[in-house]
Structures are given as C-alpha cells and as structure tokens.
Amino acid sequence: MTFTVAVAGKGGVGKTTFAAITVRHLHERTGEVVLAVDADPNSNLGAKLGTEPGRTLGSIREELMSLGEEPPPGMSKPEYIDYQVKLALKEGHGFDIVTMGRQEGPGCYCFVNNLLRNVVDSLSAKYAYVVVDNEAGMEHLSRRTTKATDVLFVVADGSKAAVEAARRISTLADEMKIRVGHKALVRNMSDPSSADAGTGTVEGFDSVHAVRRSSRVRADSERSESLMDLPRTDPAFSDISRAVDSVRRVA
Ligand SMILES: Nc1ncnc2c1ncn2[C@@H]1O[C@H](COP(=O)(O)OP(=O)(O)OP(=O)(O)O)[C@@H](O)[C@H]1O
Ligand SMILES: [Mg+2]
C-alpha cells in the first residue's frame, strides 16, 4: 500500500519546504525510499533535496509529440514511455524524484498527458511513500493532476488571507471530487516562541498544525542550499515531522 501526501497552498507560503522536509523525515523514520514528485512547473523540490535537475516529463512529452506520437520501431508506446520515465527518475539520498516540468503547448495532447499520468500512477505503486509538491494556487486541482491522496496538507502563512485561501483550496478539492483521506491545515512560519500555539480547529480541515519559523531554513534558502543538512532539532523540521507522524496515525 502506498501512502500519498500532497502539498498545496498559495504562492510562497512554504509548500516546497514542507514537501522536502517531509520526504527526508519519512525516509529517516521508516528507512523506505520515498518517491518525490515535483508537480510545480517552476520546479525546485529537487534543489531543496540537493539533486541536480534531470529530464522532466514535460520534455518527454514534447519529444513524443515531435515523433508524431509514434514510438521508435520495435517498441510499444507504453514501453517507450516507461523507458523514458525511468530515465527521468533521479536517485537521491533516501528518495527518487520525478519532475513534471511544463506541460503546456498548443493543441490537445490529452492522450499523451493521460499516458504520462498513468505512468506516474504506476510508478507510485512501487513506493511505500509518495510526496507531491504542487504549484501555487488551485489550477492543479481544476486540472485534476491531483486525483486522490491519503493526506492533503494545505500550507498557509500567518496571514488571515492565507487561511482563507487554504479554505478555498479545501472546498475546491471537495467540489472537484478529489479523493482526500485527511485534510490538514499547516500554519507555517508561526512565532518561534509558541510551538503549539495557533492550532485548534479550522472549518474544512480534519487537523491543524503549526510550523515554527526557522532562521536556518530561511538562510539555507537565501544561499540556495538544500535542506538535506538541516538538523532534525531545527524547529521547522521537528514541527513538520510531528505533523506528518500525527496524520500517518489517523489518515
Ligand atoms: N518555517 C519556515 N521558516 C522560515 N522560512 C521558511 C519557512 N518555510 C518556508 N520558508 C521560506 O519561505 C520561502 C518560500 O518557501 P517555499 O519555496 O517552500 O514556498 P512555496 O510555497 O513552495 O513557494 P512557491 O509558491 O513559489 O512554490 C523560502 O525562502 C523558504 O526558505
Ligand atoms: Mg514551491
């Protein structure tokens, strides 16, 4: 059984940070190799996990389109896509990562897009844990690139507007009939002196988690450094680990 975690929220609230620390925590806690899916066209999950960017599924799709949707002789199309996706899968320390990249372009490439999505689905089945970092906003929900997930973490920063945006994302997920086992609100960058403050309950969410602001997370990001060396004692790391462990128990 695969346990899938999707991370959503408006721009710049800390989605990728949350996703990267979740990948690290799940591996360190369980010993399993985690599949990280970077579903943001402005991909940077790999960078936060300390890997160089590889080929994106978007570029594979472009290549398939330029072949007129025909695979090379002697290969079926699913075999060819499977082979390409294996090339696109990058191995990191405790995780493998696949990067969706940009998928826009003229015309309807639904056939190829659906095939690629199916390949990601079948890839996911091989892992115990999958963590998906989504693009900002709600587009991905409307396009249904997220169809089902055990846990949806919606990240908000301290602002009232961010919590409102998180609630809209939660409502849209219901309207789009996305199957979500557990909806969790993350109040990111909360005051460092108040580890458990500001949680309580929020309508539309099954649980609420506070993640403290961390000067080290901010500094690593400014220096474009990965979060692979972030100590587990860092306040953001320990709060994210706690949130992930608590939803693993209830989802
Ligand atoms: N708990 C935290 N403490 C301190 N800084 C944080 C925390 N979480 C995120 N940040 C910082 O906030 C900025 C935005 O974080 P991040 O890139 O994770 O957001 P995002 O939601 O993925 O953004 P985008 O919408 O552009 O994809 C980064 O500089 C990051 O280091
Ligand atoms: Mg991001």
Side-chain angles (χ1 to χ4, degrees):
M1 274 293 283
T2 305
F3 185 80
T4 307
V5 173
V7 184
K10 77 183 194 79
V13 290
K15 297 177 294 297
T16 306
T17 302
F18 190 95
I21 292 176
T22 300
V23 168
R24 244 194 82 185
H25 172 65
L26 284 170
H27 170 66
E28 289 168 12
R29 175 60 52 99
T30 67
E32 297 281 349
V33 173
V34 176
L35 178 65
V37 179
D38 190 344
D40 185 349
N42 296 309
S43 328
N44 70 338
L45 180 61
K48 287 219 192 297
L49 287 167
T51 56
E52 296 292 320
R55 291 195 58 198
T56 66
L57 292 189
S59 67
I60 292 171
R61 171 184 166 283
E62 292 305 316
E63 193 179 307
L64 278 168
M65 296 314 302
S66 70
L67 289 173
E69 298 203 359
E70 287 310 315
M75 246 188 191
S76 74
K77 192 175 292 175
E79 274 168 0
Y80 180 62
I81 294 180
D82 222 15
Y83 162 75
Q84 292 286 352
V85 169
K86 286 206 183 84
L87 293 181
L89 201 62
K90 288 210 68 171
E91 251 176 65
H93 181 75
F95 64 90
D96 292 339
I97 182 164
V98 63
T99 304
M100 307 289 276
R102 298 192 178 275
Q103 305 241 352
E104 67 246 28
C108 176
Y109 303 139
C110 310
F111 178 68
V112 176
N113 284 348
N114 285 340
L115 268 177
L116 288 178
R117 201 173 304 152
N118 291 345
V119 173
V120 174
D121 286 349
S122 67
L123 201 59
S124 297
K126 301 192 180 100
Y127 294 82
Y129 296 97
V130 177
V131 177
V132 185
D133 180 29
N134 285 296
E135 66 182 305
M138 303 193 274
E139 280 294 298
H140 59 98
L141 292 179
S142 313
R143 277 192 268 109
R144 292 176 62 83
T145 47
T146 308
K147 284 181 297 184
T149 182
D150 294 292
V151 182
L152 177 66
F153 279 109
V154 185
V155 184
D157 58 19
S159 68
K160 205 162 185 298
V163 174
E164 270 311 308
R167 209 184 272 126
R168 279 198 297 280
I169 289 175
S170 163
T171 309
L172 185 65
D174 294 339
E175 285 169 6
M176 300 307 296
K177 300 204 170 10
I178 293 160
R179 284 181 283 121
V180 179
H182 183 101
K183 269 196 238 148
L185 175 66
V186 177
R187 306 190 79 146
N188 191 24
M189 304 193 220
S190 65
D191 191 329
S193 61
S194 54
D196 296 311
T199 49
T201 58
V202 172
E203 199 195 327
F205 292 95
D206 301 305
S207 60
V208 184
H209 311 265
V211 173
R212 282 168 288 174
R213 195 179 324 119
S214 151
S215 47
R216 170 78 188 259
V217 165
R218 170 75 62 183
D220 282 359
S221 164
E222 273 162 14
R223 288 197 298 264
S224 305
E225 279 173 20
S226 82
L227 295 170
M228 294 306 275
D229 294 326
L230 186 69
R232 293 190 63 88
T233 49
D234 177 90
F237 199 130
S238 71
D239 293 344
I240 292 169
S241 311
R242 188 158 359 108
V244 170
D245 286 344
S246 81
V247 300
R248 275 175 66 209
R249 279 192 293 274
V250 296

